[in-house]
């Protein structure tokens, strides 16, 4: 079997859909490469070739937004040999209930290399934002990735408020954190349920899936919407949480985390479940750091890095956050990180509800604008670090750049499945928690 | 293993009584319901202008017509006296049926396209370009709270084994061909359900160039489920409606 650089095979077979849908080449670790914290110059984790200037980053963002669609997330090399062929998985499959394709190089059983092909769901969202008011843009941003809507809305609003130097009511910042932590618990429960499904743990699947549904009902009762669309607003809160609603929320969350503890113990007591996840989809710490992995993927390799701790903003400055970390780098480690984050988010929510600010409290000044009319917003989405860059002109959006956790984690995801077998795919996919909707914005 | 079973038994029955009983407040939160204008709208033009997706228009007299197929439930019209109070049975067999109050239209679509399938129907989910919320809502039908299997609704892994295509998301240029092919792969009789406002009329992305305006331009649609996203009970009702087993039908 021989290997050669992937770039040499760009004119290869177009896949099952014919030439018109031939993916264009876009090496994701270059095009989406971004440096953490480039705005303030405090680079904690550099990824890819580091752009010297913020302008250069903006160019990369723009190029990513204008990239031909669909585009391929290229593995480092292409493998040739007797019987080796490319198996296109997707864009429509029930295994991954989103539209995206994976070009699997294989000879029948092992995945030699895996090339995710994103861009099938490009809704041209970011390109359509310029000219809109921030309020109208928010309607589109929160529908960019529905299961991460609170994270996207919070990062976008933080960027807008920083660009326009708008002061934010303290209750609004509290509401944002509350919405994001609720969303985090839902997504972790959903991901654990999907891993249980892949491992044929049917009772575990049903019970965890039921908890995820309970989470959605809690969100629906609290904000009127199961996916938190419209829950967040620029400046001051539109929807106020009354004391009765907060008491109900606290009770419901305590009940839910109690149930989850029971399930977690049962999962970890199940030999078949733990054995199946161990050593599946391994990401080494060295590779995770070098390729710029974020979120639970990075924390599962032993790196305790979380945006809520990196540069904590209100209200995280005032709260105790227990940051879970595992060392295995495999699907089990990622699931354990997620499971423990359900616990730590529940603890955060308890603190948020206990110390809910009165409306009369002082207003919180936002981060100062990075440049003239330009602001950055950054939050820890359920799958990891999410950055928005917003430029404003006359109170309207001039441009929006976004780098999501899914952008950052594609390369390590593809890498973690090299030399795995087909059945490992879903364990890696579900434990990574990647969302095509984020990259296809 | 016995502890798993014990845990499941201790939790008891979670499954909804829907469709035997109406959907509860928890199953159908406020913004999963349809907008209803007040009897008198004080500032009609202001209300129409407040809607960011042009779902409101002037109706005869001093009334307002709401297009549920466009409404993304942003609740901006709440400032003009609108409330969200529709029921779970919000799906309609034709696009015009989503207008409230309705406009007189010609002969409607086949109301019960899959009646002969009776008590067993297989569905396949296709994402034409969604934000993932509708995907999760459709998959929620398999959780113990909705348990679609109890009603004879099964998810399949191939369109060739399916009777119903559930399409979520606004159809993108890249997905038009895959959606058409998935539709062609379904054996007859078959039906297509547009889940959410995105496949019905583009939702919040309706004016973006490069996106198909609606799913109807690609494949024939048999049921329209408005909502952003629709509640799982509404999706359940739409599938049952294809079989003539909708709660609305059995009651009325």
């Amino acid at each position: 079997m021989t290997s050669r650089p992937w770039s040499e095979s760009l004119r290869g077979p177009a896949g099952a859909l014919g030439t018109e849908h031939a993916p264009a080449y876009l090496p994701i670790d270059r095009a989406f490469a971004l440096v953490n914290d480039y705005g303030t110059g405090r680079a904690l984790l550099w990824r890819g070739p580091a752009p010297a200037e913020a302008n250069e980053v903006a160019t990369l963002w723009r190029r990513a937004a204008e990239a031909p669609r669909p585009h391929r997330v290229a593995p480092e090399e292409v493998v040739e040999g007797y019987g080796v062929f490319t198996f296109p998985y997707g864009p429509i499959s029930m295994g991954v209930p989103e539209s995206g394709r994976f070009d699997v190089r294989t000879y029948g059983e092992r995945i030699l290399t895996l090339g995710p092909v994103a861009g099938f769901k490009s809704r041209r969202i970011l390109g359509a934002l310029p000219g809109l008011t921030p309020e109208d843009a928010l309607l589109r941003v929160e529908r960019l990735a529905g299961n991460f809507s609170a994270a996207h809305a919070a990062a976008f609003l933080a960027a807008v408020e920083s660009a326009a130097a708008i002061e934010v009511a303290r209750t609004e910042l509290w509401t944002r954190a509350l919405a994001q932590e609720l969303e985090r618990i839902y997504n972790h429960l959903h991901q654990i349920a999907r891993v249980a499904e892949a491992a044929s743990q049917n009772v575990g699947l049903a019970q965890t899936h039921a908890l995820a549904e309970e989470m959605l009902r809690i969100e629906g009762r609290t904000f009127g919407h199961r996916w938190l669309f419209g829950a967040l607003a620029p400046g001051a809160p539109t929807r106020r949480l009354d004391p009765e609603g907060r008491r109900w929320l606290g009770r419901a969350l305590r009940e839910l985390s109690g149930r989850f503890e029971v399930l977690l113990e049962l999962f970890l007591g199940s030999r078949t479940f733990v054995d199946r996840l161990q050593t599946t989809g391994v990401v080494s710490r060295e590779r995770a750091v070098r390729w710029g992995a974020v979120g639970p993927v990075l924390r599962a390799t032993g790196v305790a890095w979380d945006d809520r701790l990196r540069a904590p903003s209100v209200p995280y400055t005032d709260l105790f956050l227990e940051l879970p970390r595992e060392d295995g780098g495999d699907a089990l480690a990622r699931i354990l990180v997620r499971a423990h984050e359900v616990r730590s988010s529940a603890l955060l929510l308890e603190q948020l509800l206990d110390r809910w600010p009165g409306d009369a409290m002082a207003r919180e000044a936002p981060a100062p604008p990075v440049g003239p009319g330009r602001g950055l917003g950054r939050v820890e989405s359920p799958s990891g670090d999410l950055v928005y860059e917003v430029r404003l002109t006359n109170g309207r959006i001039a441009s929006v750049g976004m780098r999501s956790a899914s952008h950052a984690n594609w390369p390590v995801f593809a890498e973690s499945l090299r030399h795995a077998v087909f059945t490992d795919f879903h364990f890696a996919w579900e434990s990574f928690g990647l969302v095509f909707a984020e990259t296809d914005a | 293993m016995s502890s798993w079973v014990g845990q499941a038994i201790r939790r008891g029955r979670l499954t909804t009584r829907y469709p035997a009983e109406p959907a509860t407040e928890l199953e159908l939160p406020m913004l999963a319901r349809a907008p209803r204008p007040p009897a008198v709208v004080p500032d009609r033009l202001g209300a129409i202008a407040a809607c960011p997706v042009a779902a409101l228009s002037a109706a005869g007299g001093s009334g307002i017509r709401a297009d549920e197929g466009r409404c993304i439930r942003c609740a901006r019209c709440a400032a003009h006296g609108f409330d969200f109070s529709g029921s779970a049975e919000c799906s309609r067999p034709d696009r015009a049926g989503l207008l409230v109050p309705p406009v007189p239209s010609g002969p409607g679509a086949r109301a019960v396209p899959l009646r002969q399938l009776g008590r067993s129907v297989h569905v396949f989910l296709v994402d034409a370009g969604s934000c993932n919320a509708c995907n999760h809502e459709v998959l929620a039908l398999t959780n113990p709270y909705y348990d679609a299997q109890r009603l004879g609704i099964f998810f399949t892994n191939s369109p060739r084994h399916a009777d119903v295509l559930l399409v979520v998301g606004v159809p993108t240029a890249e997905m038009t061909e895959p959606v058409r092919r998935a539709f062609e792969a379904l054996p007859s009789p078959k039906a297509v359900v547009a889940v959410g406002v995105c496949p019905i009329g583009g939702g919040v992305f309706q004016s973006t160039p490069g996106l198909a305006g609606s799913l109807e331009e690609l494949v024939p649609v048999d049921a329209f489920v408005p909502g952003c996203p629709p509640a799982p009970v509404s999706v359940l009702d739409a599938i049952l409606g294809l079989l003539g087993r909708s709660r609305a039908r059995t009651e009325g």
Side-chain angles (χ1 to χ4, degrees):
Chain A
M1 216 169 289
T2 58
S3 295
R4 60 193 166 84
W6 182 271
S7 50
E8 285 176 22
S9 70
L10 298 185
R11 308 271 170 251
L17 288 174
T19 44
E20 65 184 299
H21 287 282
Y25 172 65
L26 186 75
I28 197 161
D29 56 330
R30 292 280 301 281
F32 293 114
L34 267 185
V35 184
N36 285 298
D37 221 353
Y38 70 88
T40 56
R42 282 177 301 159
L44 290 162
L45 283 169
W46 294 79
R47 65 165 60 95
E53 304 258 334
N55 280 344
E56 207 172 320
V57 177
T59 315
L60 284 174
W61 256 333
R62 210 163 24 250
R63 209 182 299 151
E66 291 163 2
R69 293 164 254 251
H71 49 253
R72 188 194 297 271
V73 181
E76 281 185 313
E77 57 188 9
V78 66
V79 183
E80 299 285 7
Y82 178 73
V84 176
F85 64 102
T86 301
F87 166 62
Y89 181 47
I92 295 177
S93 71
M94 269 308 272
V96 178
E98 260 200 294
S99 288
R101 199 171 89 210
F102 301 90
D103 285 349
V104 184
R105 290 290 289 174
T106 178
Y107 52 80
E109 176 61 33
R110 283 201 183 272
I111 297 170
L112 298 172
T113 61
L114 181 97
V117 183
F120 282 98
K121 334 202 314 181
S122 291
R123 287 148 294 156
R124 286 87 171 158
I125 298 176
L126 298 183
L129 294 182
L132 297 176
T133 61
E135 287 81 6
D136 284 349
L138 179 66
L139 295 177
R140 288 156 176 84
V141 166
E142 59 192 9
R143 285 163 180 81
L144 194 150
N147 52 333
F148 295 164
S149 73
H152 279 267
F156 173 76
L157 287 175
V160 167
E161 284 149 4
S162 153
I166 303 172
E167 291 194 351
V168 193
R170 216 171 156 80
T171 38
E172 175 61 14
L173 293 171
W174 242 259
T175 310
R176 282 180 200 175
L178 182 90
Q180 284 186 69
E181 297 306 326
L182 290 175
E183 182 178 85
R184 194 183 319 279
I185 294 183
Y186 166 74
N187 276 287
H188 287 347
L189 290 174
H190 175 81
Q191 238 57 51
I192 293 167
R194 298 279 298 173
V195 167
E197 185 178 17
S200 297
Q201 299 274 323
N202 288 332
V203 185
L205 159 68
Q207 295 292 315
T208 321
H209 211 173
L211 287 192
E213 170 69 21
E214 282 162 28
M215 235 10 248
L216 289 179
R217 290 178 176 206
I218 288 173
E219 291 172 31
R221 157 106 198 234
T222 309
F223 288 103
H225 196 284
R226 284 159 62 95
W227 301 91
L228 305 173
F229 295 170
L232 309 184
T238 44
R239 210 159 280 135
R240 287 171 202 282
L241 269 177
D242 54 7
E244 174 50 36
R246 292 206 297 276
R247 268 195 298 279
W248 180 85
L249 183 58
R251 263 200 316 275
L253 287 170
R254 267 193 300 282
E255 208 171 302
L256 186 132
S257 26
R259 286 188 189 133
F260 179 69
E261 293 297 328
V262 176
L263 292 189
L264 183 61
E265 200 173 308
L266 287 170
F267 271 127
L268 297 181
S270 163
R271 260 288 187 41
T272 46
F273 181 74
V274 172
D275 280 358
R276 188 63 190 84
L277 264 61
Q278 254 172 346
T279 70
T280 300
V282 181
V283 179
S284 72
R285 181 186 307 191
E286 180 265 338
R287 208 175 269 281
V289 171
R290 182 158 64 87
W291 286 24
V294 295
V297 177
L298 181 63
R299 292 194 284 277
T301 65
V303 182
W305 195 81
D306 187 303
D307 198 68
R308 291 169 293 175
L309 285 181
R310 178 196 59 92
S313 55
V314 176
Y316 292 108
T317 41
D318 304 352
L319 305 176
F320 168 71
L321 167 62
E322 180 197 17
L323 193 62
R325 188 170 64 105
E326 293 286 332
D327 287 320
D330 53 6
L332 180 67
R334 288 189 287 274
I335 284 305
L336 282 175
V337 167
R338 286 180 187 277
H340 293 143
E341 276 184 26
V342 171
R343 198 180 285 159
S344 81
S345 286
L347 188 61
L348 278 174
L349 284 164
E350 210 175 302
Q351 300 172 69
L352 280 168
L353 292 170
D354 276 352
R355 309 183 199 167
W356 198 261
D359 286 340
M361 280 180 83
R363 288 171 160 255
E364 203 59 40
V370 175
R374 171 166 165 263
L376 285 179
R378 197 164 176 189
V379 303
E380 183 78 15
S381 79
S383 276
D385 189 25
L386 169 68
V387 198
Y388 266 84
E389 182 215 42
V390 172
R391 284 167 199 274
L392 294 178
T393 322
N394 302 326
R396 285 179 180 266
I397 305 284
S399 76
V400 177
M402 184 268 293
R403 204 289 327 268
S404 71
S406 300
H407 286 116
N409 284 341
W410 279 121
V412 273
F413 167 70
E415 185 61 25
S416 77
L417 279 168
R418 280 183 68 173
H419 307 298
V421 292
F422 286 154
T423 46
D424 289 343
F425 177 88
H426 287 108
F427 295 95
W429 175 255
E430 300 301 350
S431 60
F432 267 76
L434 298 172
V435 175
F436 274 111
E438 280 191 324
T439 29
D440 293 0
Chain B
M1 206 28 125
S2 61
S3 46
W4 270 120
V5 175
Q7 143 74 15
I9 292 171
R10 270 194 300 280
R11 283 230 60 189
R13 180 194 158 111
L14 301 175
T15 310
T16 173
R17 302 278 172 189
Y18 191 87
E21 289 167 21
T24 64
E25 198 69 32
L26 277 175
E27 285 158 1
L28 203 64
M30 186 186 87
L31 292 179
R33 295 168 186 266
R36 293 281 177 262
V40 180
V41 185
D43 176 13
R44 193 163 68 137
L45 291 179
I48 292 171
C51 181
V53 287
L56 301 179
S57 57
S62 60
I64 276 193
R65 175 167 287 124
D67 182 355
E68 289 184 26
R70 286 187 171 203
C71 174
I72 57 166
R73 273 73 168 165
C74 66
R76 285 190 191 173
C77 52
H80 294 271
F82 280 64
D83 69 339
F84 289 79
S85 57
S87 72
E89 294 80 35
C90 57
S91 74
R92 298 287 178 268
D94 56 333
R95 178 70 180 82
L98 296 173
L99 298 171
V100 181
V103 287
S105 62
R110 296 177 297 161
V112 188
L114 298 180
R115 187 189 287 281
Q116 67 266 50
L117 294 182
R119 308 208 63 82
S120 165
V121 63
H122 287 67
V123 299
F124 184 75
L125 171 69
V126 169
D127 171 3
S130 82
C131 70
N132 224 6
C134 286
N135 308 38
H136 282 229
E137 290 292 47
V138 169
L139 292 181
L141 289 180
T142 61
N143 78 32
Y145 276 93
Y146 302 105
D147 191 19
Q149 290 92 330
R150 83 200 141 101
L151 298 164
I153 299 168
F154 305 97
F155 283 84
T156 71
N157 288 327
S158 163
R160 293 187 196 285
H161 302 155
D163 310 303
V164 174
L165 203 61
L166 298 178
V167 185
V168 298
V170 53
T172 63
E174 291 79 5
M175 283 307 291
T176 51
E177 193 52 32
V179 168
R180 270 203 205 101
R181 288 199 189 189
F183 174 74
E184 281 160 18
L186 257 71
S188 290
K190 56 185 163 187
V192 177
V193 181
V195 178
V197 291
C198 282
I200 295 175
V204 75
F205 309 119
Q206 57 187 261
S207 51
T208 311
L211 302 178
S214 74
L215 181 64
E216 276 182 295
E217 294 170 19
L218 311 181
V219 293
V221 179
D222 301 273
F224 298 85
V225 195
C228 187
V233 278
S234 297
V235 182
L236 202 57
D237 172 70
I239 300 171
L240 292 175
L242 297 172
L243 306 166
R245 289 162 55 195
S246 163
R247 178 180 164 74
R249 185 169 293 271
T250 44
E251 279 206 329

